Amino acid sequence: MFGMVNRHIIKTIQVTYGERKWREIIANAPEIPHFSQLQQYPDEITYLIIEKAVKVLDIDIDNLQETLGKGWVKETADGQWGIYYELYGDTIFTFLNNLDSLHAALGAQLTDMSPPSFLCKKLNLDTICVRYMSKRRGLTFFVKGMLKGLCEKFNYPGHVIIKQIRSDQIEYDEYLIEKI
Ligand code: HEM
């Protein structure tokens, strides 16, 4: 996973749980390197940070992933990537439909990127269905947090539900965003 994602994970842990706890985590995993924003690193390192953090902090992995996903939207929207949120949609629905184009545009700058893919449709006036496909596994709750973050970003009064978790038979996760 790109350095910028790993750095976001580390920063969130440092800000939420304190620098001392982060030092405890890294002491348990000296193989965690210093990350450059625009470089690709093996996914195992990302999973290792999360695994060690959950152990040291004694927290629930799904909750941590959700926090990280929600925070990723805020961090990118408020920072140097904010322009992408203006360019790729003025509602949550159009933005979600354009997410593949957004990652493709990023891929032109970030070589070696392995982006996710999303399919999105309206089931009725109050329900959006989002299908998430990826080469990676285990990011179900990360995406749930991102969808929650997008509801906030686009002022959409939505409640996010996991409808389908990827399995050996079904190669994708599926979510419902229901209007509150
Ligand atoms: C401008 C905002 C965004 C930027 C700069 C960005 C950038 C990135 C980057 C660099 C990666 C790592 C890919 C890799 O290491 O191969 C990534 C992965 C990912 N992004 Fe985005 N992203 C943005 C917005 C979003 C949003 C709003 C979503 C919401 C659902 C999203 C969903 C994901 C997911 C799920 C992954 C994990 C990759 C996978 O599933 O295989 N991204 N993104």
Side-chain angles (χ1 to χ4, degrees):
M1 199 87 82
F2 259 78
M4 64 169 98
V5 178
N6 293 309
R7 281 171 78 147
H8 164 67
I9 296 172
I10 294 171
K11 194 173 136 198
T12 306
I13 292 170
Q14 287 169 328
V15 169
T16 314
Y17 299 98
E19 186 60 38
R20 241 186 50 203
K21 280 286 174 195
W22 171 247
R23 279 203 293 272
E24 214 179 300
I25 294 165
I26 199 136
N28 277 280
E31 59 272 59
I32 296 173
H34 175 79
F35 294 105
S36 304
Q37 292 271 63
L38 303 182
Q39 197 181 312
Q40 181 64 271
Y41 296 85
D43 286 350
E44 289 69 33
I45 300 181
T46 309
Y47 292 120
L48 182 77
I49 300 172
I50 292 178
E51 184 198 312
K52 296 287 180 189
V54 164
K55 228 181 237 164
V56 171
L57 301 170
D58 194 22
I59 52 172
D60 180 72
I61 187 166
D62 297 343
N63 281 345
L64 176 63
Q65 276 202 31
E66 218 176 295
T67 304
L68 292 168
K70 200 168 169 200
W72 177 250
V73 173
K74 192 157 173 38
E75 162 127 355
T76 50
D78 291 349
Q80 68 175 115
W81 306 100
I83 184 76
Y84 282 82
Y85 288 84
E86 284 165 37
L87 291 176
Y88 284 85
D90 48 9
T91 66
I92 188 168
F93 185 69
T94 43
F95 184 81
L96 281 167
N97 269 304
N98 289 331
L99 251 187
D100 284 10
S101 310
L102 183 156
H103 282 102
L106 289 167
Q109 308 169 47
L110 310 176
T111 42
D112 280 357
M113 191 168 159
S114 172
S117 181
F118 294 89
L119 254 179
C120 180
K121 62 180 176 187
K122 277 188 181 154
L123 297 186
N124 55 52
L125 273 179
D126 291 336
T127 314
I128 300 172
C129 178
V130 182
R131 188 174 287 187
Y132 159 56
M133 291 152 285
S134 170
K135 287 185 195 147
R136 300 180 172 97
R137 288 182 170 269
L139 299 176
T140 306
F141 283 83
F142 185 59
V143 173
K144 184 183 182 197
M146 286 174 153
L147 295 176
K148 282 185 168 184
L150 287 177
C151 286
E152 270 181 20
K153 168 71 191 156
F154 288 97
N155 292 317
Y156 186 83
H159 180 64
V160 180
I161 298 165
I162 298 173
K163 186 184 168 212
Q164 164 78 51
I165 294 185
R166 177 176 172 159
S167 66
D168 289 342
Q169 285 78 39
I170 301 175
E171 277 292 289
Y172 53 79
D173 290 327
E174 215 162 54
Y175 307 82
L176 297 179
I177 306 176
E178 292 182 339
K179 217 175 216 171
I180 297 165

